[in-house]
Amino acid sequence: MSGISHIPTNVPPEIVYEILTYQFRDYMNNDQPSTSEKFNENLRNFIRSNLTVNKTFYHICRILIYKYCNLTTAKRFHSLLNTISNESELRNIIQVADFQELTSIGLGRTGEMNKQIKNLTNHTLLKFLRLTKGNLREFLACEHIQDDLDDKIIHFLLKPGKVLSILDFCGCSGPNFTKSFILALRELYEQSYSTNSSRSNLIDDDNMSIASFSTINSTDLNEIEDEDFHFAPDDMNLAVTPIECNYQITCLGLNDCTDLPNFVLGRLLKSLPDLQKLDLARTSIDDNILINASPHWKNLSHLSLGNCSQITPRAILEFFSHHPAVTDENNETTLEWLNIGTISNSSSWTEVHVMFFLKKLCQFGHNETLEYLNINGLPVHVVNETTRPPLSRASSSVRLLGSDNRPHPDNRNYESVIKTKYYYQCSDTLTFIKLNFPNLKSLSIRGNNIPIPKLVEFLSPMSVSDASLEVFKDLKKHQKIKFLNISNNTHINKWTIQDPSLISCSDSLVALEISFEAWQQVEKSNNGGDMTIMKYDRETNKNHTIKWKCYLDSSYGRRYWLYKTDKYLNREDINSTQASLTRFDSQGNKIIEIFKQPDFLKFAQSKISLSCGLVTKSSYRRKHCYRDIKPPISQFLTRNGGIAFGNTFTPIVRPPLPSGGWRIMPEDDPEDEDESESDIQSTGNNTTLVSDHDLDGPLSDNSVVTSTGRPPINHHESSGNALFWDRSMHDIPTLNQLTTDNTSQNESRIATQSLRSQLIRPPVTPLGISQNIDPASMYDAGESNDEYLNNPELQRRRSELQLGFTRGHSYDYTSNSNRRNRATNSTQLHHQSSTANIKSNKNVPNGIAPGAPMIIDPRRPSDYYYCHPDEFIYDPTDDVTSHRYRLHLAQVHEYRTFGCIERGMYRYYSLKM
């Protein structure tokens, strides 16, 4: 393939790449055939369909197959290792090494026999990591390779200097794994364990070997017996600092790593100061490690502390009250996914603790961004009807009918609601969650005995009369729960589960998790586990049918769900008996049926979805988790249609800079102020704004900043340029918004043009300054192609976009930018109709011809419809297409927080109880 210079141009390769990407994802998500070989069968079908079409298909198929390596057997891993050893161009393609579906024991083989075969051992695994370290982004382990993860491998994974960003040791435990972790962490910390050990024994990653210790006489960890290993006194010392921190790793998963001691967790967390997603569920972390050893993570968005038995409620409340990772107002993000669930029988939580915890989330802004909240086992306070004071006769009669002359439930909880600075105050926990967590989609309250009327009240949207109360005048968004876990609720049993009010009270609800007794009753009493109800639609004045089905997969453990069926995401034919039949079309071609798991499972997971998945649904996760600035297409296809085999990226070895931009200021010369003033008058504004988005590499020592149409800035010989990072630059769009609100439309346009003329940054070439710019500050920049970056027109337009002065745009930055995730999805919707469809018709708004696709309002942000999919209209005359677009937009937006549940062991740990 190295001799191929161009791909045929009859079909753009970018289009072929996108089409094959969607097809590859459908094949790999196919849950049929229902055998252990379904992955191999679907992979063979994809290869047979596309590999031999032409050179374009051949190259893209290789990219998709090797990019995500799902290693299901040791033999497959050995075959892959031999392939990349002989073909060096394939090493750069591999980005994900997924062992979470690996089966260690083959048919008729024992674990001891597999060790003798040596297809997958610590030596072969280390060789694989060294060969793929240039572009490997994810390493997903499982319990079946825990004994093969020796100290050399763990040290290689944790040591800085690589682009590895996602590290998951899900399910790994045991004495060998614990010893390996301790030995690896010894090398990451600056200390001596004995007088005989020396730092000179350490070698770089290419020839890496773990230093010898006085307590260890053999370099092979597998030869060390348990009785020969003992902890060094300094292993438990948390006051020491690591030699160097790893700023590249953003996602860490230790779910179910039960045997790692708490001091190991503390040392590991201290060496990873830039985590965004952290899964510590079912680990031995204690109060001291959580409060004192956790760094100040400024980008923390996902946190799981579920079923951590050594953490007390007091420690969690103190963490969410004082720790800067969740309380600092200058943090880049707030929490989007949170799990603090526990076992109700052994929990010391009280209702007061839970309410205090929820109020702390509201105080620091996490309630505005939380989409997943798991408080299983935590008691919630329910205000019963008998504990409320009686209403007067007049007020009771008014409450019977709403403003639409229809009966409404007696939502008397709202009468005691008080609006405070940070939240709506009320005594009922569910009402508090409903009013203060507007973006919540998944809520787990397992183990609480809540009556059905109270659940219906919580799930039902607020009536018009309640929403019009004075206390709710600032309530702009109402909660739309999609998943609710109410298992182990004594009020939900086999006699009450048939109540249709629970599954018909909310249009947004798509799934419920219930106990086995109630689930079994639905399955037995209905045909095929179906529940069909009729619901009246007030808009169309018609009744429509809603069907709910039972769902159970034995591989997920003891969890039972009811879900609402639809045509696209949660189909009712998932367990169809026709899936095992082989069908052919009229021409004799085999028909391959695609049966996907229901989409609601992503809301039911109890484990953080760290991986970006087989195929990324949007660039959001890739840009934030990988810090990858190049789109996947441009990594493997050049601009002129040539073939590429990936890029070798520079790892992040320094703390990323906060939002802002580089500012170049001339140094004032106090000896010659007159000459300095004359220079300023002759050259205009010498202050140059250089955002991190404009820089594509380190600054060279022999280059000069110039601006198009301007002469270079000449300074006095004794003066020099000063370069500093200006954090106030990200507030320029807010200044523009305030200017727009306080002036008329014409005055605003003039002011905006004036500001734009002052703040437009010139095309920038590398500066003549000896200090190098950290690549970490440029991870969200544009593509690093010289041909693209050196184009002055594109640079000018991109600078305007960065400052928020795009022509015709008026962004809404009313919320505090420091409390929200500033990076937006790079995938933008551009619905442009042809000139034939755009006519000057006064009867049609905006001059759009009837039946033409709707154009997005240019005054809204590019990701507006991802956050508000219900407002999107593709074509007023085509409701079906508009509905499918809304589903797609919602899917892409939910992918940011929930990720995807696609395969094997990863899905098992995500959904097990």
Side-chain angles (χ1 to χ4, degrees):
M1 295 301 295
S2 60
I4 299 176
S5 59
H6 289 82
I7 293 178
T9 57
N10 52 350
V11 177
E14 295 83 2
I15 303 300
V16 177
Y17 183 90
E18 290 295 328
I19 294 175
L20 292 183
T21 296
Y22 280 104
Q23 187 188 41
F24 180 72
R25 184 173 61 190
D26 286 341
Y27 270 116
M28 295 300 101
N29 288 342
N30 189 13
D31 211 44
Q32 298 294 333
S34 57
T35 62
S36 59
E37 291 295 319
K38 61 183 174 183
F39 173 81
N40 299 330
E41 180 67 22
N42 291 315
L43 186 61
R44 280 194 293 266
N45 290 333
F46 174 77
I47 294 175
R48 291 171 182 172
S49 303
N50 304 293
L51 190 65
T52 59
V53 174
N54 55 30
K55 295 178 181 179
T56 304
F57 278 65
Y58 178 79
H59 175 65
I60 296 177
C61 285
R62 295 181 76 191
I63 296 300
L64 294 175
I65 293 172
Y66 284 100
K67 185 179 177 182
Y68 192 104
C69 296
N70 194 340
L71 304 168
T72 56
T73 62
K75 183 178 179 180
R76 179 182 294 276
F77 170 79
H78 186 70
S79 176
L80 173 64
L81 182 60
N82 291 335
T83 301
I84 63 177
S85 299
N86 299 326
E87 301 183 35
S88 58
E89 68 273 6
L90 296 179
R91 301 172 188 174
N92 244 22
I93 300 177
I94 299 176
Q95 295 186 2
V96 181
D98 185 1
F99 295 89
Q100 294 191 337
E101 202 175 359
L102 183 133
T103 303
S104 60
I105 308 301
L107 181 62
R109 285 191 237 152
T110 62
E112 189 64 29
M113 294 175 62
N114 281 334
K115 291 181 180 179
Q116 296 177 0
I117 297 175
K118 295 186 180 302
N119 283 335
L120 178 57
T121 64
N122 55 339
H123 301 290
T124 57
L125 184 56
L126 182 59
K127 181 181 179 181
F128 170 80
L129 292 175
R130 289 176 178 174
L131 292 176
T132 60
K133 69 175 183 179
N135 206 23
L136 186 66
R137 299 288 187 168
E138 301 183 23
F139 183 82
L140 311 177
C142 74
E143 60 189 22
H144 295 301
I145 64 171
Q146 62 187 15
D147 294 332
D148 297 317
L149 299 176
D150 62 8
D151 52 348
K152 298 180 181 180
I153 294 176
I154 296 177
H155 180 268
F156 184 89
L157 295 172
L158 296 177
K159 185 178 180 181
K162 296 173 289 297
V163 295
L164 184 66
S165 301
I166 298 177
L167 194 55
D168 195 354
F169 295 104
C170 179
C172 296
S173 59
N176 291 334
F177 179 74
T178 302
K179 290 187 300 183
S180 300
F181 233 107
I182 294 175
L183 294 178
L185 287 176
R186 285 180 181 180
E187 295 305 317
L188 295 177
Y189 279 79
E190 188 175 6
Q191 57 189 14
S192 297
Y193 290 86
S194 67
T195 57
N196 297 329
S197 61
S198 176
R199 288 291 169 191
S200 60
N201 293 331
L202 287 176
I203 308 176
D204 60 2
D205 287 338
D206 294 331
N207 301 300
M208 185 183 62
S209 65
I210 297 297
S212 60
F213 300 99
S214 60
T215 57
I216 302 176
N217 298 321
S218 175
T219 57
D220 189 0
L221 185 63
N222 294 327
E223 298 177 2
I224 301 175
E225 299 296 333
D226 291 344
E227 56 270 14
D228 295 334
F229 177 82
H230 61 273
F231 296 135
D234 290 336
D235 284 334
M236 305 181 210
N237 185 10
L238 297 177
V240 296
T241 58
I243 300 175
E244 52 182 340
C245 296
N246 193 325
Y247 293 95
Q248 181 68 52
I249 294 181
T250 59
C251 304
L252 177 65
L254 297 174
N255 190 293
D256 215 16
C257 295
T258 56
D259 291 341
L260 289 180
N262 52 15
F263 66 86
V264 172
L265 299 178
R267 289 199 158 194
L268 179 60
L269 296 181
K270 289 182 66 175
S271 64
L272 305 175
D274 204 27
L275 288 179
Q276 300 174 10
K277 299 178 178 65
L278 177 60
D279 193 343
L280 295 174
R282 298 183 180 89
T283 60
S284 60
I285 185 173
D286 58 7
D287 298 355
N288 180 44
I289 301 299
L290 178 65
I291 298 174
N292 300 322
S294 301
H296 181 186
W297 296 303
K298 295 185 178 181
N299 297 281
L300 189 64
S301 61
H302 292 60
L303 179 62
S304 178
L305 300 172
N307 294 329
C308 294
S309 57
Q310 298 187 31
I311 297 182
T312 62
R314 179 177 180 178
I316 293 181
L317 297 179
E318 184 175 350
F319 178 81
F320 282 94
S321 301
H322 304 290
H323 199 281
V326 291
T327 61
D328 188 0
E329 62 179 7
N330 292 320
N331 288 343
E332 296 290 326
T333 59
T334 49
L335 291 175
E336 302 172 3
W337 199 102
L338 179 59
N339 178 10
I340 60 166
T342 184
I343 301 175
S344 58
N345 296 332
S346 60
S347 173
S348 59
W349 283 82
T350 64
E351 297 176 355
V352 177
H353 291 155
V354 176
M355 183 61 73
F356 181 84
F357 167 74
L358 295 175
K359 291 180 179 179
K360 285 299 177 182
L361 292 179
C362 296
Q363 179 180 348
F364 298 107
H366 302 290
N367 62 316
E368 296 292 339
T369 55
L370 264 179
E371 298 185 26
Y372 176 95
L373 180 60
N374 187 331
I375 52 175
N376 286 336
L378 275 64
V380 299
H381 179 66
V382 178
V383 178
N384 298 321
E385 295 291 337
T386 56
T387 61
R388 293 174 178 163
L391 285 174
S392 63
R393 181 180 301 272
S395 60
S396 178
S397 61
V398 172
R399 282 281 182 172
L400 293 178
L401 294 178
S403 59
D404 52 358
N405 294 326
R406 295 183 182 276
H408 292 287
D410 185 14
N411 296 338
R412 294 174 56 190
N413 274 341
Y414 301 139
E415 293 182 347
S416 59
V417 173
I418 301 174
K419 180 68 173 67
T420 63
K421 181 179 179 181
Y422 299 109
Y423 46 80
Y424 290 94
Q425 171 66 38
C426 59
S427 57
D428 188 86
T429 304
L430 288 182
T431 305
F432 186 91
I433 294 176
K434 179 177 181 178
L435 296 177
N436 295 287
F437 293 79
N439 293 305
L440 196 63
K441 294 182 175 64
S442 176
L443 177 64
S444 297
I445 49 175
R446 172 187 173 90
N448 284 279
N449 297 323
I450 304 175
I452 291 182
K454 188 64 184 179
L455 293 173
V456 172
E457 178 185 313
F458 169 70
L459 294 172
S460 301
M462 294 180 64
S463 64
V464 177
S465 58
D466 290 328
S468 61
L469 295 176
E470 180 67 19
V471 70
F472 299 133
K473 63 179 181 179
D474 296 329
L475 186 62
K476 299 179 180 179
K477 188 174 182 179
H478 299 278
Q479 187 183 93
K480 295 182 178 180
I481 290 286
K482 290 190 174 183
F483 175 82
L484 183 63
N485 183 354
I486 51 176
S487 56
N488 287 2
N489 186 346
T490 57
H491 295 279
I492 310 295
N493 50 51
K494 61 181 180 181
W495 294 283
T496 61
I497 189 60
Q498 303 284 357
D499 188 352
S501 62
L502 184 61
I503 59 178
S504 63
C505 60
S506 174
D507 294 333
S508 62
L509 187 67
V510 296
L512 287 171
E513 181 171 349
I514 57 178
S515 301
F516 172 72
E517 182 184 27
W519 182 89
Q520 188 181 38
Q521 178 66 24
V522 175
E523 187 184 36
K524 288 182 177 180
S525 60
N526 298 280
N527 184 19
D530 297 345
M531 292 179 61
T532 304
I533 61 175
M534 303 295 294
K535 187 174 181 180
Y536 178 74
D537 190 351
R538 298 177 182 175
E539 296 181 358
T540 60
N541 293 326
K542 295 181 180 179
N543 291 328
H544 62 277
T545 304
I546 299 177
K547 180 180 288 187
W548 286 67
K549 284 182 66 68
C550 294
Y551 183 77
L552 169 68
D553 195 315
S554 58
S555 62
Y556 300 152
R558 298 167 295 173
R559 298 188 68 178
Y560 310 92
W561 298 286
L562 295 175
Y563 73 97
K564 182 167 58 176
T565 63
D566 57 61
K567 295 181 180 179
Y568 307 106
L569 301 180
N570 301 288
R571 295 168 53 182
E572 59 178 318
D573 58 350
I574 295 176
N575 298 323
S576 176
T577 57
Q578 298 180 359
S580 58
L581 301 177
T582 302
R583 297 190 298 165
F584 299 87
D585 60 10
S586 59
Q587 298 180 354
N589 299 318
K590 181 181 178 180
I591 300 176
I592 300 176
E593 298 284 349
I594 302 295
F595 291 89
K596 296 183 180 181
Q597 294 290 329
D599 182 71
F600 77 85
L601 290 178
K602 65 185 178 185
F603 303 117
Q605 60 187 337
S606 58
K607 177 185 181 298
I608 299 176
S609 179
L610 301 177
S611 175
C612 293
L614 288 167
V615 177
T616 57
K617 295 183 180 180
S618 71
S619 61
Y620 182 87
R621 282 201 163 208
R622 175 177 55 82
K623 285 186 175 181
H624 288 75
C625 297
Y626 293 176
R627 278 90 175 268
D628 189 357
I629 64 175
K630 294 197 68 176
I633 295 178
S634 64
Q635 294 182 20
F636 306 109
L637 297 170
T638 61
R639 289 185 177 278
N640 56 0
I643 288 177
F645 289 94
N647 307 91
T648 301
F649 296 96
T650 304
I652 299 174
V653 295
R654 302 175 187 172
L657 292 171
S659 300
W662 290 105
R663 184 181 293 274
I664 306 173
M665 295 289 291
E667 183 179 358
D668 294 335
D669 189 358
E671 298 179 358
D672 194 356
E673 296 181 357
D674 297 336
E675 182 180 353
S676 179
E677 293 177 359
S678 62
D679 289 341
I680 294 176
Q681 293 177 0
S682 61
T683 58
N685 187 5
N686 288 342
T687 301
T688 306
L689 296 178
V690 186
S691 172
D692 57 334
H693 303 271
D694 288 330
L695 300 173
D696 187 60
L699 303 179
S700 62
D701 295 333
N702 301 318
S703 53
V704 181
V705 175
T706 60
S707 58
T708 304
R710 296 181 184 179
I713 300 175
N714 297 322
H715 298 288
H716 196 270
E717 293 181 357
S718 63
S719 64
N721 289 339
L723 179 68
F724 69 96
W725 189 258
D726 187 1
R727 294 193 61 182
S728 64
M729 289 178 59
H730 65 272
D731 292 327
I732 293 177
T734 307
L735 176 63
N736 180 40
Q737 178 67 24
L738 294 176
T739 305
T740 304
D741 294 338
N742 296 330
T743 59
S744 61
Q745 184 175 4
N746 295 332
E747 293 175 349
S748 173
R749 186 181 297 109
I750 296 175
T752 302
Q753 292 175 355
S754 176
L755 284 173
R756 185 184 304 169
S757 63
Q758 298 177 15
L759 295 172
I760 283 181
R761 294 162 290 176
V764 177
T765 57
L767 308 180
I769 300 175
S770 59
Q771 178 184 357
N772 289 337
I773 301 300
D774 184 7
S777 64
M778 303 175 289
Y779 67 88
D780 58 347
E783 298 180 14
S784 58
N785 189 299
D786 293 338
E787 176 183 274
Y788 174 70
L789 287 177
N790 293 331
N791 188 325
E793 178 63 20
L794 292 179
Q795 284 239 359
R796 180 186 64 78
R797 283 159 44 193
R798 190 175 55 161
S799 300
E800 292 179 357
L801 287 171
Q802 177 60 24
L803 291 175
F805 294 128
T806 305
R807 183 178 306 171
H809 286 246
S810 178
Y811 294 100
D812 183 11
Y813 288 92
T814 55
S815 59
N816 188 351
S817 60
N818 287 332
R819 306 299 299 150
R820 301 292 179 268
N821 197 337
R822 299 186 184 89
T824 57
N825 195 333
S826 62
T827 306
Q828 299 181 1
L829 295 176
H830 297 283
H831 296 274
Q832 297 180 356
S833 59
S834 61
T835 55
N837 291 332
I838 302 178
K839 303 178 181 179
S840 58
N841 188 348
K842 296 182 180 180
N843 297 327
V844 181
N846 298 327
I848 301 178
M854 297 295 292
I855 299 178
I856 292 179
D857 190 347
R859 294 171 296 179
R860 289 174 174 172
S862 59
D863 65 338
Y864 177 82
Y865 286 105
Y866 289 101
C867 302
H868 307 83
D870 295 337
E871 300 180 18
F872 180 80
I873 299 177
Y874 176 77
D875 189 344
T877 62
D878 190 352
D879 295 336
V880 176
T881 305
S882 297
H883 176 65
R884 300 187 68 175
Y885 264 107
R886 294 189 193 107
L887 292 178
H888 170 73
L889 295 174
Q891 285 280 99
V892 173
H893 182 70
E894 292 164 358
Y895 168 76
R896 299 181 179 186
T897 302
F898 297 96
C900 49
I901 303 176
E902 291 171 331
R903 304 216 55 82
M905 291 300 295
Y906 189 82
R907 190 166 58 193
Y908 165 73
Y909 278 103
S910 296
L911 296 173
K912 80 170 188 177
M913 186 179 298

